[in-house]
Amino acid sequence: MTLEQNLEQEHLVQEQIFDAINKFDSFRFNAGAGAGKTYALIESIKYILSKKQLELRKNNQKIICITYTNVAVNEIKERLGNTQFALISTIHEMLWEQIKLYQKSELIELHQEKLSNELNNIQEKIEEYKKDKNLSVIFDEEFELFYYLIKETKELFYENRNYSASIFKACYTNYIPEHAYLSLALKNIGNFKNLVELFYKEERYKKALERINDTQERKKIKIQYDSKSNSDRLTSMKFSHDTLLEYSYLLVDRYPMLRRIIVDKYPYIFIDEYQDTHENVIKLVQKLHLYAQESNKKWLVGYFGDTKQNIYDDGVGSNILAIHSDIVNIDKLFNRRAHLQLINLINKIRNDNIQQVPIDPSYINGDIQFFHLQNTDENNRTSKIQEFIEQFKNTIPQDQKIDCLVPVNRSLASLGGFETIYNSIYDSKIIYWADLNSQLLSHQLEKLHPAVLTFYHLVMLYKKLKGKNTTYYDLLGKTNNDIKFDNAKKTIKLLTDIKVTTLDELLRNISRIIKENDADYSNSAIQYCLNNSLSINYSDIKKYDSFYEYMKDVIYKNMFENQSENEQFKEENNLKIQTILDTSLTEWLNWVSFINEERDVDLKVIYHTYHGTKGAEYNNVAIIMEHDFGGISTGRNKFKNYFSHIQFSLEEQNKKLLDAKYKEQLENTQNLIYVACSRARKNLRILYLDDINDIRTGINQLFNSVEQFD
């Protein structure tokens, strides 16, 4: 078919969406990579605005469009243009906007239930320790004595918790004469620590519940969503992302009035990247749909996405129809992005009913090459990747970039030019290994660790100060005419003239400028600059000897707030902070460029995590693969197992897929490879770092030919 004929067929698919909108039929638009899902979504919103804007205005209604990241939010807003009738936001922003009015009422009840459930879980774990032969004596006649002891020695416990078993045990030596059971209980230090921490945790949960149950205290409580944290702080009446989804679903499930408010106010809800949406959100929307049907309300939800691009553990993926089944299915088989050779490859990888064709029949010049290393020396992998990239560079026009997907965070940091930052944050132990990808390398700022976010804002301030096109507004924000121009000009010049090479020097120089030019903390230009760039209230600095000391304290609290106040630990922690602050600003700028997904004109190669390329498209893509993925236990042999599976006979494959866990892991890997390979428009190069002898047949099934990289 010709391009014109394909465009006509594509338009008919969009007409199916318009038809569903006209009939208020909820639908799922399922389309592969490069199909133009975002375009279809934006056209759907524009269609409603062209047909129903007067009705929306009259009824004080809006369209809701939910997408996965802030980057996607901004892209849709930019492409849609200004309108007061469409609310574009991430799922967390939208849900909190809907339920925050219930902070002092229904949310308290939900929080009370969650605290009670968590307390029950804690108490069940404590019960398990009664079976421990060394600890069982505590639960007999000695329990009250033991409980009194751990309350009395709480500070001692936390001061020594992280020391070796022998040092920790020695702390309780003086108590053994009065607490003979300790001799036995301390034989397994790990179990003893776990049990004591459970008792401390139990105490915190009981106190939190007592606050809620106290009539007067309850009036003071306001349940808060903490968007800056990846974990709940339930006893502080704060919760994070996943619990927001849980609470939102429960409120919609329990309170018909909330269902009515949402359905009446938002007759159209569109969800982008539905496959990555949490099941609780799909369940919530299904409840709204059911309510609308029962109440004869004109309402619909439109899901836009692709089940084969579900690469997150908490995404609903193909399970969506099991939760929300009463919807129209609309498929699209065109690919607007890639050349035929790339499309044929990703069709083989996904192997389902979505088998794409290029919308432009002239897109037939794609090039795919798969290479493997013969020698798999761990020490030369980074250099081999660099050689591989250099070879790729020589095959493309000089003005084009290469986007390289790297599976291991440490390798990514090394190639991206911020290895010291990665190592110093890793060595500080403020982030668990499994969370490094989100809390250090996420493109979504709200997912970054609070301390890491502070470093980000500091580097961004420096970057603005040195930027050629930076305006006063960029540095000062909205000033409401509180600053005289001469003062602003003088202050900004002092800041922009700073010459530093590390974050430590940046902090010290800002501190010096404040001391020399604003000893009484009254300079409004400095005040606005610090507040705009770092969210600092100028008055807070007055409590410290200097701005430098204030920032060091902020960083310390963000990194080690819950750790022991033991002097040795404090000294060690301060050394960790100093190592981070002394890292070259060049590395920090490289890291910020990575976080911001900047495509600098002078940068020939841009490195990404696999997950970080979701939704993106590039002319030239290099993918680094090896047996494992991510350097964590769950990624062990991830790619090797996938290629092993596809070289089995169909009968063997089906037999293995009867194991639900095996099937889930295989599908996740298949989706990951699909997403990675489908980023390429024209040229794709893959370098496999491990020995492929056992999986060569499987690789050949997808890539046809495999060459050794020398």
Side-chain angles (χ1 to χ4, degrees):
M1 296 180 74
T2 65
L3 173 60
E4 289 74 19
Q5 289 172 320
N6 285 345
L7 289 171
E8 187 178 334
Q9 288 297 314
E10 182 186 48
H11 181 70
L12 292 177
V13 176
Q14 189 68 45
E15 288 290 336
Q16 290 181 56
I17 298 176
F18 294 160
D19 186 54
I21 290 171
N22 292 335
K23 295 176 181 176
F24 280 94
D25 286 339
S26 291
F27 64 89
R28 178 184 71 148
F29 178 62
N30 199 45
K37 290 184 288 295
T38 303
Y39 173 82
L41 171 60
I42 292 169
E43 287 300 301
S44 300
I45 296 173
K46 286 181 177 178
Y47 179 78
I48 295 169
L49 292 175
S50 69
K51 301 288 184 181
K52 302 287 184 178
Q53 187 162 306
L54 288 176
E55 191 174 324
L56 292 171
R57 185 192 299 274
K58 178 184 174 183
N59 297 323
N60 193 27
Q61 294 175 319
K62 289 185 178 182
I63 304 162
I64 281 184
C65 175
I66 298 164
T67 190
Y68 200 75
T69 66
N70 287 317
V71 172
V73 167
N74 294 332
E75 181 190 350
I76 291 172
K77 283 181 177 179
E78 188 177 330
R79 289 169 63 176
L80 187 62
N82 291 327
T83 174
Q84 60 180 321
F85 300 106
L87 175 63
I88 319 294
S89 76
T90 63
I91 185 65
H92 294 94
E93 288 172 349
M94 189 280 291
L95 289 176
W96 181 235
E97 192 64 31
Q98 304 309 314
I99 73 169
K100 66 182 180 182
L101 297 175
Y102 305 91
Q103 284 173 282
K104 297 184 71 65
S105 51
E106 290 84 356
L107 265 177
I108 293 180
E109 292 176 17
L110 287 182
H111 202 72
Q112 184 178 19
E113 286 180 25
K114 191 168 183 70
L115 283 167
S116 297
N117 290 335
E118 290 298 315
L119 179 59
N120 288 335
N121 291 335
I122 292 165
Q123 290 171 337
E124 285 176 9
K125 290 176 183 176
I126 290 173
E127 285 292 312
E128 286 295 311
Y129 280 102
K130 288 184 178 180
K131 301 172 186 175
D132 187 294
K133 62 181 180 180
N134 296 323
L135 297 174
S136 59
V137 63
I138 290 172
F139 296 94
D140 298 333
E141 301 172 3
E142 310 289 356
F143 184 72
E144 287 188 18
L145 193 62
F146 169 72
Y147 201 73
Y148 175 79
L149 171 70
I150 63 171
K151 289 185 75 172
E152 182 187 7
T153 58
K154 188 173 184 178
E155 188 174 340
L156 179 76
F157 175 86
Y158 281 112
E159 283 180 355
N160 294 278
R161 175 181 55 174
N162 296 323
Y163 284 132
S164 65
S166 58
I167 294 175
F168 179 85
K169 189 174 181 178
C171 295
Y172 290 88
T173 303
N174 294 336
Y175 296 93
I176 290 177
E178 293 182 26
H179 302 269
Y181 58 86
L182 283 176
S183 297
L184 189 60
L186 288 166
K187 283 193 172 182
N188 187 321
I189 296 297
N191 283 350
F192 181 84
K193 286 180 182 178
N194 291 339
L195 178 60
V196 172
E197 288 202 89
L198 283 171
F199 279 124
Y200 291 148
K201 196 172 182 181
E202 180 189 40
E203 182 183 32
R204 293 197 301 272
Y205 275 77
K206 283 181 176 178
K207 284 182 178 178
L209 283 166
E210 285 170 9
R211 278 192 67 201
I212 290 178
N213 292 327
D214 184 287
T215 307
Q216 294 304 313
E217 281 294 309
R218 190 183 182 104
K219 292 177 183 177
K220 303 174 188 175
I221 293 172
K222 187 161 75 170
I223 308 300
Q224 291 277 13
Y225 165 54
D226 185 358
S227 63
K228 297 283 172 56
S229 176
N230 288 330
S231 58
D232 292 329
R233 289 183 286 167
L234 299 178
T235 56
S236 299
M237 307 301 163
K238 294 182 178 181
F239 59 88
S240 63
H241 311 307
D242 287 350
T243 301
L244 171 63
L245 305 183
E246 177 189 339
Y247 283 179
S248 300
Y249 168 69
L250 290 172
L251 284 172
V252 166
D253 182 47
R254 294 182 186 182
Y255 300 104
M257 181 56 71
L258 181 57
R259 296 200 288 274
R260 178 180 174 181
I261 290 170
I262 296 174
V263 166
D264 286 348
K265 191 171 182 179
Y266 305 107
Y268 307 94
I269 295 181
F270 295 127
I271 298 180
D272 191 22
E273 304 288 3
Y274 72 77
Q275 72 279 353
D276 295 325
T277 305
H278 195 283
E279 285 194 5
N280 276 334
V281 178
I282 307 300
K283 287 162 64 178
L284 182 156
V285 173
Q286 192 271 340
K287 288 284 181 184
L288 296 177
H289 189 192
L290 187 61
Y291 168 80
Q293 288 176 321
E294 292 171 348
S295 307
N296 292 317
K297 302 272 188 181
K298 289 184 175 180
W299 181 92
L300 70 81
V301 59
Y303 296 109
F304 292 77
D306 176 14
T307 54
K308 290 298 182 183
Q309 293 189 63
N310 171 35
I311 58 175
Y312 298 102
D313 293 336
D314 58 355
V316 68
S318 57
N319 198 38
I320 185 172
L321 294 180
I323 300 171
H324 199 169
S325 57
D326 189 17
I327 55 177
V328 174
N329 194 69
I330 301 170
D331 290 338
K332 183 178 179 182
L333 304 181
F334 288 115
N335 187 310
R336 301 183 65 87
R337 170 193 301 164
H339 285 248
L340 178 64
Q341 292 78 4
L342 275 301
I343 293 172
N344 288 340
L345 169 64
I346 62 178
N347 282 343
K348 282 195 285 184
I349 295 170
R350 69 178 299 145
N351 190 29
D352 66 355
N353 62 308
I354 301 289
Q355 293 292 293
Q356 294 180 312
V357 294
I359 195 160
D360 188 339
S362 68
Y363 279 21
I364 54 172
N365 299 310
D367 183 31
I368 304 165
Q369 294 182 38
F370 192 107
F371 296 90
H372 71 96
L373 288 183
Q374 182 64 30
N375 299 313
T376 58
D377 183 357
E378 290 288 337
N379 298 320
N380 70 352
R381 288 191 169 202
T382 300
S383 61
K384 284 293 182 183
I385 293 171
Q386 290 169 329
E387 287 178 32
F388 174 69
I389 295 296
E390 284 300 315
Q391 180 176 295
F392 192 3
K393 277 185 191 178
N394 295 330
T395 66
I396 62 172
Q398 286 188 350
D399 61 339
Q400 291 190 15
K401 299 180 186 300
I402 294 172
D403 288 86
C404 181
L405 282 58
V406 184
V408 179
N409 293 335
R410 193 179 296 277
S411 299
L412 172 75
S414 175
L415 292 162
F418 52 91
E419 186 174 16
T420 307
I421 292 172
Y422 180 91
N423 290 337
S424 58
I425 296 291
Y426 174 75
D427 291 341
S428 73
K429 294 184 169 54
I430 61 169
I431 301 175
Y432 291 114
W433 174 268
D435 294 329
L436 278 166
N437 195 49
S438 61
Q439 294 188 29
L440 178 61
L441 301 174
S442 175
H443 302 305
Q444 295 173 257
L445 298 185
E446 65 271 19
K447 288 190 175 182
L448 296 177
H449 186 281
V452 173
L453 189 59
T454 299
F455 299 133
Y456 172 84
H457 288 309
L458 280 170
V459 181
M460 284 301 296
L461 171 58
Y462 173 80
K463 193 168 183 179
K464 288 177 188 175
L465 291 172
K466 297 301 177 182
K468 293 179 181 178
N469 300 316
T470 301
T471 65
Y472 281 7
Y473 182 82
D474 292 332
L475 289 168
L476 303 175
K478 191 175 181 180
T479 60
N480 301 314
N481 299 318
D482 290 342
I483 306 174
K484 292 182 179 179
F485 179 74
D486 286 346
N487 180 33
K489 184 178 180 181
K490 177 186 174 184
T491 302
I492 297 304
K493 186 173 190 320
L494 286 169
L495 290 169
T496 53
D497 283 349
I498 287 174
K499 292 181 180 176
V500 296
T501 58
T502 66
L503 284 181
D504 189 78
E505 291 176 11
L506 176 65
L507 293 177
R508 288 185 186 277
N509 273 270
I510 295 174
S511 196
R512 174 184 56 78
I513 289 170
I514 293 172
K515 186 176 181 179
E516 293 175 357
N517 298 275
D518 191 24
D520 60 352
Y521 297 98
S522 60
N523 187 321
S524 54
I526 296 177
Q527 175 183 341
Y528 272 94
C529 182
L530 294 182
N531 184 262
N532 180 58
S533 299
L534 304 174
S535 298
I536 290 174
N537 292 321
Y538 207 27
S539 58
D540 290 341
I541 302 171
K542 296 178 184 179
K543 303 168 189 175
Y544 293 80
D545 292 338
S546 66
F547 170 74
Y548 180 80
E549 293 303 324
Y550 166 77
M551 285 305 301
K552 286 285 288 285
D553 191 53
V554 167
I555 293 167
Y556 190 97
K557 286 177 179 175
N558 281 337
M559 291 178 71
F560 306 112
E561 185 176 18
N562 297 321
Q563 290 197 16
S564 165
E565 289 300 305
N566 177 285
E567 286 304 315
Q568 182 178 339
F569 276 137
K570 288 180 76 172
E571 187 177 342
E572 290 174 0
N573 291 339
N574 278 317
L575 285 173
K576 291 174 182 177
I577 292 173
Q578 199 58 50
T579 299
I580 293 169
L581 293 178
D582 286 341
T583 301
S584 163
L585 265 169
T586 302
E587 281 212 20
W588 282 110
L589 290 168
N590 289 338
W591 174 75
V592 161
S593 293
F594 169 79
I595 296 298
N596 291 346
E597 299 182 86
E598 295 171 8
R599 302 186 67 77
D600 191 286
V601 264
D602 298 325
L603 206 58
K604 182 76 174 179
V605 183
I606 301 172
Y607 294 96
H608 309 268
T609 63
Y610 276 53
H611 291 76
T613 60
K614 193 75 166 27
E617 54 184 80
Y618 315 111
N619 280 326
N620 310 297
V621 173
I623 300 175
I624 309 304
M625 283 188 186
E626 53 188 323
H627 289 339
D628 302 338
F629 178 78
I632 54 177
S633 58
T634 53
R636 180 112 22 223
N637 283 328
K638 189 174 181 66
F639 290 133
K640 183 180 183 181
N641 291 339
Y642 172 76
F643 288 117
S644 293
H645 176 86
I646 63 173
Q647 65 189 13
F648 293 145
S649 68
L650 190 60
E651 184 180 354
E652 287 178 292
Q653 288 183 21
N654 290 334
K655 186 177 179 181
K656 284 183 171 293
L657 291 173
L658 294 174
D659 182 331
K661 188 174 181 181
Y662 178 90
K663 182 180 180 182
E664 180 184 350
Q665 291 173 343
L666 187 82
E667 287 180 351
N668 178 267
T669 309
Q670 177 190 34
N671 293 353
L672 196 62
I673 294 173
Y674 176 79
V675 167
C677 292
S678 62
R679 298 312 94 197
R681 293 192 189 102
K682 188 174 182 181
N683 298 310
L684 175 65
R685 301 287 186 276
I686 297 173
L687 177 64
Y688 204 98
L689 303 178
D690 288 318
D691 183 1
I692 67 165
N693 282 333
D694 293 341
I695 54 175
R696 183 182 287 272
T697 303
I699 291 171
N700 273 321
Q701 284 184 26
L702 293 183
F703 297 98
N704 299 327
S705 65
V706 180
E707 300 176 48
Q708 182 177 318
F709 182 75
D710 296 320

